[in-house]
Structure formats: C-alpha cells, structure tokens
Amino acid sequence: MPDLPPRRRTLIVLLSWAHARGHLVQVGCGFHSGVRYYVPDDLIRLFGDVDVQSLERKMKCSRCGRGDNMEVDLRLPSAAERQRMTIRRLVDIRVKRIPVWRDDAPHNSDP
C-alpha cells in the first residue's frame, strides 16, 4: 500500500474572531521587506467577514500594486509592541464611477 501524505489540518479563522480577541492582521508583500498592520474590523467593512487567509488573494501591495505574492497572518502584539507599531486605519471607501456609453444610429423614417 502506498504511503499517503499526512492530512493538513486547515484552521479557518474569520476576521470577526480575530477582532473579538484583539488580534491585528499583518500584511506583507513578498517583493518588499515592509509589513503593514490592520485592525480586523476595518477589513470587515471592506471585504466582509471572511477567512483571514483569503485576504492573500484579495489585497494588493500599496507600494508596487501587485497582489500575487501577498502574505497575511494574525498577530497578537503585547502592549509594548503595539505602541511601536504603525497601524493602518480605514478612513473612507470611495467608489470610482465610470460612465458607459452607447451609440444610437439615427432612425430613417422615409415613407
């Protein structure tokens, strides 16, 4: 009988669970060394109450604009660490309005 690989246990953690326990969401781009920290409640307003790992596919780097190599993790910082962190807060959600046009051909009403 062939050896089967061990089953991977996947833990699904929702943003609401992380917010209730005081976690921060750590997001980093694989192409840059910097990371950013977000409050889960702000991300809930933007993406809904989704799994934390699904944010890797939904977020883009604010520096290079790429979204194919994002790394997302939860962080529970101590009080001393939290004072040194710069936390990104959601101020406003803007929707870009793009007009869609159609060309109507003139109607010939020759009798």
Side-chain angles (χ1 to χ4, degrees), residues 9 11-12 15 19 27 34 41 44-46 74-75 80 85 89 96 102 109-110:
R9 298 187 75 191
L11 180 64
I12 296 175
L15 287 171
H19 180 68
V27 179
D41 195 41
I44 289 172
R45 286 181 52 204
L46 194 57
L74 285 180
R75 189 88 196 271
M85 286 180 174
R89 297 303 312 252
K96 188 175 181 180
R102 128 182 128 209
S109 58
D110 293 329

Side-chain angles (χ1 to χ4, degrees), residues 92-110:
D92 191 19
I93 300 173
R94 295 188 183 154
V95 179
K96 188 175 181 180
R97 294 176 52 146
I98 301 173
V100 177
W101 299 96
R102 128 182 128 209
D103 292 331
D104 287 338
H107 297 289
N108 286 339
S109 58
D110 293 329

Side-chain angles (χ1 to χ4, degrees), residues 61-105:
C61 178
S62 60
R63 203 165 148 199
C64 68
R66 295 179 68 168
D68 56 345
N69 201 15
M70 299 301 291
E71 300 167 358
V72 178
D73 202 7
L74 285 180
R75 189 88 196 271
L76 184 59
S78 65
E81 287 176 324
R82 197 172 183 118
Q83 284 187 342
R84 290 190 305 266
M85 286 180 174
T86 301
I87 299 172
R88 255 194 169 180
R89 297 303 312 252
L90 182 63
V91 176
D92 191 19
I93 300 173
R94 295 188 183 154
V95 179
K96 188 175 181 180
R97 294 176 52 146
I98 301 173
V100 177
W101 299 96
R102 128 182 128 209
D103 292 331
D104 287 338

Side-chain angles (χ1 to χ4, degrees), residues 24-29 34-38 43 55-56 59-61 70-73:
L24 293 176
V25 179
Q26 176 181 326
V27 179
C29 178
V35 296
R36 300 207 184 258
Y37 300 98
Y38 297 88
L43 296 175
L55 294 175
E56 290 179 350
M59 296 189 79
K60 290 185 179 179
C61 178
M70 299 301 291
E71 300 167 358
V72 178
D73 202 7

